[in-house]
């Protein structure tokens, strides 16, 4: 894919578990208009930065794809009115839905999973949650105000 416009946001500074067999891990991801524009090395992705691109640090965390059950999309798809939106992997063209965890859940011990924290949640390219949320957020913003953790079954609590 050869992008014609710069990325809206770039996420870098951690590990990406792409769930894509062709590229299982990556260093950075570029997002444009709510979709994944590119996934690759930090240098390759930072080359997609424009003057208005926001670069977001993963703070050493691990990004994993998230599947968002959007009721409006599900209802439309069930009635045959719309195609399901691609998601579930970190690869170009997919919806930019992902979670950044404090560590890699595949490499830590089961006991260490108790301390695993959610650092960042992104839906369609927009941040819904930041651990240590930015002070500039307004009262209307849809950012969660409390820390999120994964329980032993993998659910956010």
């Amino acid at each position: 894919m050869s992008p014609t416009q710069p990325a809206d946001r770039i996420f870098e500074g951690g590990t990406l578990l792409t769930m894509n067999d062709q590229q299982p891990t990556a260093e950075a991801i570029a997002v444009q208009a709510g979709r994944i524009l590119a996934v690759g090395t930090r240098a390759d992705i930072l080359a997609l930065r424009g003057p208005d691109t926001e670069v977001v640090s993963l703070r050493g965390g691990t990004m994993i794809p998230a599947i968002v059950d959007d009721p409006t999309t599900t209802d439309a798809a069930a009635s045959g009115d719309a195609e399901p939106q691609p998601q579930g992997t970190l690869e170009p063209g997919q919806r930019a839905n992902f979670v950044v965890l404090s560590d890699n859940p595949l490499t830590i011990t089961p006991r260490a999973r108790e301390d695993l924290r959610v650092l960042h949640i992104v839906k369609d390219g927009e941040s819904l949650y930041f651990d240590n949320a930015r002070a500039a957020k307004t009262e209307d913003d849809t950012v969660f105000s409390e820390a999120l953790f994964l329980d032993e079954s993998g659910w956010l609590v």
Side-chain angles (χ1 to χ4, degrees):
M1 173 185 258
S2 178
T4 58
Q5 295 183 348
D8 297 331
R9 300 176 88 191
I10 291 175
F11 296 85
E12 57 85 31
T15 301
L16 283 71
L17 302 179
T18 67
M19 305 306 165
N20 173 357
D21 291 338
Q22 304 304 314
Q23 182 184 21
T25 62
E27 297 174 353
I29 190 169
V31 175
Q32 184 183 75
R35 299 245 180 224
I36 297 172
L37 179 65
V39 178
T41 67
R42 183 177 185 275
D44 288 345
I45 299 304
L46 286 175
L48 301 173
R49 178 175 35 186
D52 297 324
T53 301
E54 177 185 10
V55 178
V56 179
S57 173
L58 299 177
R59 301 182 332 196
T62 300
M63 178 187 288
I64 60 173
I67 296 176
V68 176
D69 185 17
D70 185 347
T72 58
T73 304
T74 304
D75 292 343
S79 67
D81 293 341
E83 287 288 317
Q85 299 294 315
Q87 58 181 333
T89 61
L90 300 178
E91 58 185 302
Q94 297 281 308
R95 289 174 62 187
N97 297 330
F98 46 83
V99 175
V100 180
L101 304 173
S102 57
D103 208 337
N104 184 335
L106 301 179
T107 61
I108 61 175
T109 65
R111 184 172 203 76
R113 288 189 190 126
E114 295 173 11
D115 298 324
L116 200 59
R117 288 189 3 259
V118 175
L119 301 178
H120 200 146
I121 298 174
V122 174
K123 179 182 179 221
D124 294 324
E126 297 298 321
S127 295
L128 297 181
Y129 170 80
F130 280 102
D131 183 34
N132 298 327
R134 296 178 186 164
K137 294 287 182 193
T138 66
E139 248 181 63
D140 310 5
D141 285 344
T142 58
V143 176
F144 297 99
S145 61
E146 58 191 53
L148 297 174
F149 298 88
L150 293 178
D151 69 10
E152 62 277 353
S153 65
W155 288 97
L156 289 176
V157 293

